[in-house]
Structure formats: C-alpha cells, structure tokens
C-alpha cells in the first residue's frame, strides 16, 4: 500500500486477467497500475486508435518501440472486415496483429454519431447501413458483446445509446441515458468471457448534471459486474468549460478502486486536465489524424510542417523528444517530404504518438515520483499546477464535482 496526500492505495483483483492497483494520488490526480494480460500498463494512459486494430502507417513493432501500452479497435469496423469469427479462429485481435500489448474494443455505439445518417436506433439496438457495400448490420447489446467476445480484446465496452453533446433536444438525451442503463443489463447477461475480458459501463447524459448523476447511480448499482467505468458522449464540440465540468462531476462520483476512462479525448491539454480531475484512460484518433495533415505535436502546441518557414529550419521537431523521428530528421527534411511522400505522414504519426506516451509517462511520474521507469528530467515539461489549470478554465476549480 502506498500513501500519498492522505489516500491509501488499493489493489483490486477484478478478474483472472485484469487487475487495477491505485498506487498514488495528488489532489484528484491518480497514478495506477493496470494489469492486462500479458503485461502491465501505467496510468494515466493514452490509447491510440487503430480502427482495424492497428494504427495507420505504423507496425506493431513500432508501437512497441513507442512504449504504447494499449491500442483501441473499433467493433463495428472489425466486424465488417475481417469479421469476429475469423479473429476468434486466429486467436483474437492481439495475435491477428502480432501485438504484444493490451487491447480495447469500443462497442460500436460511437457510430450512432459518426454514421448517424446511416443508422436507425430503436430499443432493440441500432441498424447500420454499411458505407462500403450498403448491407445492413443490426447491432444489439447482445451482438455487440458477442462480437467483442470473438475479437478477444482485454477490455470491452457496453453498447450505449450515444448522442452528440451539441444535440439540441433534451428529450433525446434523457431517452439515451435511460436506454443506456437498460442496455447495460443486456450486455452483462450476454458476456461469455468475464474472467478473460473486462466489461466497462459507459456514463451518458450529455451536459445535463441530473442525467449524468442518474447514469452514474444506475451503473454503480451494477458495480459487481463492471470492472471499470467510462465517461462517454463528450469531445463532440461542446464548450471546454462544459466538458470539464462533466468530467469533474463523473470522476468525483465513481469508485476509487476502479479505472476511469474518458472516451474520445486526445488533445494534450485535455489529457492533462482530465488526469488532474481523476481520469485514468483516454483514446482519440487525433495524434495520427493530425499527422496526416502535416502537423506535429510539441510542448508549445502544434508545429505545421507545411508552412514555408519550415523549409530552412534544420532543428528537430522537438529537441526534448526521444523518438526516432526527432533523433534523425529535421523540420526542413520533413517539410520537403510532407506533400510528396506517403511515409512522411507515418513519421509524423510516430512522433505524435510518442509525444502522447511521454506526456502520460510524465504525468504518472509527477503523481508517483518514486517510479523509476521515467527519467526525473522528463518531468520538467509537465504543467500539472493549479495555475495552468486556472489559466485555461478560470471559472472552474479542480474540486468541482465534489458536491
């Protein structure tokens, strides 16, 4: 047990292959160990999105070199191609991609937003029209879990009714919140591999405090069947202040002894803010998607390598970064390649993901400074202070949500 700021760490064995150990806190920020067979991950943890189970432009070996801990796959797209039956036959997503780290699959619920024009939602589930061949796919809570059982990820997500945070009809948010709670029972009943795969419940409710509280309360009533919790329905265009208030509210209401996952979060500042508010896990396409537009992540913000000023800049992207790209290539070199050679996007993706990994390592180190897996010098660039937090969110304190 580790005591920091008056809080004792707690180790909880949630299943045969999933263990969560909270080892330190600093204010509301947390550092934890998350054991996903066959390796241990440390939080805060950013998970790159690999729609088909692998990140575009990078090999599994490169992801290991970047010290990536867990990769997210998309249930809807993986079922479309190559299919969960084939993945199960081949030994699951990890073996299919020759990946040694952890895996997580979403439930397919997000496609209710991203493919809204191709989706029809009912109490039974959601029917999608494939954007590839036009065929219909009916995704019920039971089928979502069945597909994820076949894919074989370490962490699987319950199917939830997802509504864009900027939707204008309050009645739709209430409907989605109540339906999400009804669907969680169907997901739990359908789960056939609870000793091998950890099922997380997802909190919905839009920006409405009352609905968020109701969803948290409903999920906590099923706590024995849920090894972890996620905050969904955010990062969809809402104001940052509203986003932050919902994260603060939800994390303050969740159990201390289980992981907290804020879905769809990838901007570096958002990772820091959410970690400061007590979140543990994050995912987003942002690092790889922005790389394909010629943009690199740096401590000062972003570096747009297509601009003319980069043509004669012989510095690395980030002089403090330890990635292969920063060690070997100049900004001028990448500027010359970015509009002409496809591998330039891969190089920027490599750097951007390493940037996110380093940021999470640094936050873990700040919260748990006795950890030895990060050099002490690397913590210098992390701004976990209340000053930085207040500069970005002047109307919000880090204690908001403790109502």
């Amino acid at each position: 047990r580790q005591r920091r700021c008056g809080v004792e760490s707690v180790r909880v064995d949630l299943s045969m292959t999933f263990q969560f150990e909270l080892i330190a806190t600093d204010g509301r920020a947390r550092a934890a160990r998350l054991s996903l067979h066959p390796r241990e991950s440390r939080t805060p943890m950013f998970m790159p999105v690999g729609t088909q189970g692998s990140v575009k432009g990078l090999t599994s070996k490169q992801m290991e070199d970047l010290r990536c801990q867990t990769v997210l796959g998309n249930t809807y797209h993986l079922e479309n191609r190559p299919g969960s039956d084939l993945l199960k036959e081949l030994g699951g997503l990890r073996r299919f991609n020759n990946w040694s780290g952890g895996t997580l699959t979403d439930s397919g619920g997000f496609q209710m937003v991203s493919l809204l024009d191709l989706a029809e939602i009912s109490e039974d589930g959601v029917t999608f029209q494939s954007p590839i061949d036009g065929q219909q796919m009916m995704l019920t809570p039971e089928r979502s879990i069945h597909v994820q059982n076949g894919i074989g990820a370490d962490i699987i997500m319950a199917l939830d009714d997802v509504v864009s945070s900027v939707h204008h009809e309050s009645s739709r948010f209430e409907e989605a919140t109540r339906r999400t709670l009804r669907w969680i029972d169907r997901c739990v009943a359908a789960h056939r591999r609870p000793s091998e795969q950890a099922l997380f419940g997802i909190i919905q409710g839009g920006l409405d405090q009352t609905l968020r509280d109701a969803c948290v309360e409903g999920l906590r009533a099923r706590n024995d069947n849920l090894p972890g919790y996620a905050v969904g329905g955010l990062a969809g265009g809402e104001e940052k202040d509203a986003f932050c208030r919902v994260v603060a509210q939800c994390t303050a209401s969740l159990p201390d002894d289980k992981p907290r996952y804020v879905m769809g979060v990838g901007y570096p500042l958002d990772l820091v803010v959410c970690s400061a508010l007590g979140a543990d896990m994050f995912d987003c396409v942002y690092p790889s998607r922005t790389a394909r537009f010629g943009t690199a992540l740096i401590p000062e913000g972003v570096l747009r390598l297509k601009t003319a000023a980069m043509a004669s800049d012989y510095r690395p992207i980030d002089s403090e970064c330890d990635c292969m790209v920063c060690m070997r290539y100049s900004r001028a070199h990448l500027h010359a390649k970015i509009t002409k050679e496809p591998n330039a996007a891969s190089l920027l993706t490599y750097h951007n993901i390493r940037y996110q990994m380093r940021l999470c390592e640094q936050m873990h180190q700040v919260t748990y400074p006795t950890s030895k897996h990060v050099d002490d010098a690397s913590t210098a660039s992390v701004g976990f202070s209340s000053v930085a937090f207040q500069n970005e969110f002047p109307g919000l304190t880090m204690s908001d949500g403790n109502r």
Side-chain angles (χ1 to χ4, degrees):
R1 285 176 173 259
Q2 172 77 23
R3 182 185 293 272
R4 180 167 170 77
C5 299
V7 178
E8 286 191 344
S9 72
V10 180
R11 184 185 182 94
V12 179
D13 188 344
L14 298 169
S15 73
M16 290 175 60
T17 59
F18 184 93
Q19 297 175 359
F20 180 76
E21 182 183 7
L22 181 61
I23 57 177
T25 61
D26 190 350
R28 292 183 63 174
R30 294 146 52 101
R33 297 188 185 100
L34 185 62
S35 295
L36 301 171
H37 181 74
R39 62 185 288 181
E40 176 184 277
S41 300
R42 298 179 185 238
T43 71
M45 175 173 69
F46 177 77
M47 301 175 289
V49 174
T51 302
Q52 302 291 146
S54 59
V55 176
K56 288 182 180 178
L58 298 182
T59 67
S60 295
K61 176 60 168 62
Q62 287 175 315
M63 295 297 288
E64 292 170 7
D65 293 342
L66 291 168
R67 299 218 292 265
C68 175
Q69 302 181 99
T70 296
V71 173
L72 182 144
N74 184 288
T75 293
Y76 170 77
H77 291 290
L78 284 168
E79 179 66 348
N80 270 325
R81 189 177 64 242
S84 58
D85 290 340
L86 176 62
L87 288 171
K88 183 178 180 180
E89 181 181 338
L90 295 174
L93 183 61
R94 183 186 290 111
R95 287 191 178 179
F96 180 73
N97 287 329
N98 193 28
W99 166 241
S100 64
T103 52
L104 180 150
T105 44
D106 69 358
S107 63
F110 177 69
Q111 274 63 52
M112 296 182 200
V113 174
S114 64
L115 297 177
L116 182 60
D117 293 340
L118 301 173
E120 182 178 336
I121 305 165
S122 68
E123 187 62 26
D124 290 335
V126 55
T127 302
F128 294 106
Q129 182 180 359
S130 171
I132 300 171
D133 58 15
Q135 290 190 358
Q136 299 275 313
M137 175 195 289
M138 178 65 173
L139 195 63
T140 64
E142 292 81 8
R143 185 173 184 192
S144 174
I145 297 301
H146 174 77
V147 169
Q148 291 184 82
N149 285 162
I151 294 170
D154 302 298
I155 298 173
I156 65 175
M157 306 304 299
L159 184 65
D160 54 338
D161 189 350
V162 186
V163 183
S164 169
S165 59
V166 295
H167 190 78
H168 60 279
E169 294 181 11
S170 59
S171 60
R172 179 68 183 97
F173 286 107
E174 182 166 5
E175 176 188 48
T177 303
R178 306 302 176 190
R179 181 174 287 151
T180 293
L181 289 176
R182 293 192 294 271
W183 281 0
I184 189 66
D185 292 325
R186 293 168 61 184
C187 289
V188 169
H191 191 10
R192 294 293 176 260
R193 301 177 63 185
S195 64
E196 302 167 85
Q197 297 176 288
L199 173 65
F200 281 28
I202 305 176
I203 304 163
Q204 290 294 341
L207 305 179
D208 187 302
Q209 278 192 317
T210 301
L211 290 178
R212 288 283 177 174
D213 279 342
C215 201
V216 170
E217 182 180 354
L219 291 177
R220 291 199 64 168
R222 286 98 166 158
N223 187 61
D224 289 347
N225 293 310
L226 299 176
Y229 296 87
V231 181
L234 292 176
E238 70 279 352
E239 295 292 330
K240 284 294 183 183
D241 183 72
F243 163 83
C244 200
R245 288 182 187 277
V246 171
V247 173
Q249 174 190 355
C250 293
T251 56
S253 303
L254 291 173
D256 289 334
D257 60 359
K258 292 189 178 181
R260 306 161 180 172
Y261 166 25
V262 182
M263 307 179 78
V265 171
Y267 293 137
L269 178 60
D270 290 347
L271 299 186
V272 174
V273 169
C274 290
S275 295
L277 292 173
D280 306 305
M281 301 164 59
F282 319 94
D283 80 278
C284 194
V285 299
Y286 174 68
S288 53
R289 180 170 290 172
T290 198
R292 295 195 289 273
F293 288 95
T295 302
L297 303 181
I298 58 175
E300 296 80 12
V302 296
L303 186 69
R304 303 189 190 283
L305 287 155
K306 290 184 179 181
T307 60
M310 297 294 104
S312 58
D313 191 334
Y314 300 104
R315 295 174 294 170
I317 293 173
D318 179 359
S319 61
E320 299 298 319
C321 182
D322 59 4
C323 82
M324 169 271 294
V325 177
C326 290
M327 295 286 195
R328 297 184 182 181
Y329 301 104
S330 68
R331 298 177 181 186
H333 176 89
L334 294 166
H335 169 81
K337 298 178 69 171
I338 199 65
T339 59
K340 299 178 179 67
E341 298 185 27
N343 76 324
S346 296
L347 292 174
L348 290 189
T349 299
Y350 189 97
H351 163 78
N352 284 352
I353 289 179
R354 181 58 192 146
Y355 182 90
Q356 301 288 69
M357 298 301 110
R358 289 178 63 239
L359 178 61
C360 289
E361 289 170 356
Q362 292 162 4
M363 289 191 290
H364 180 94
Q365 177 74 359
V366 167
T367 309
Y368 185 41
T370 59
S371 175
K372 301 301 183 185
H373 73 291
V374 181
D375 295 336
D376 291 342
S378 70
T379 65
S381 63
V382 169
F384 233 172
S385 69
S386 59
V387 174
F389 187 89
Q390 284 301 306
N391 284 343
E392 184 66 21
F393 300 101
L396 184 71
T397 66
M398 287 173 57
S399 61
D400 280 0
N402 291 322
R403 304 186 312 283

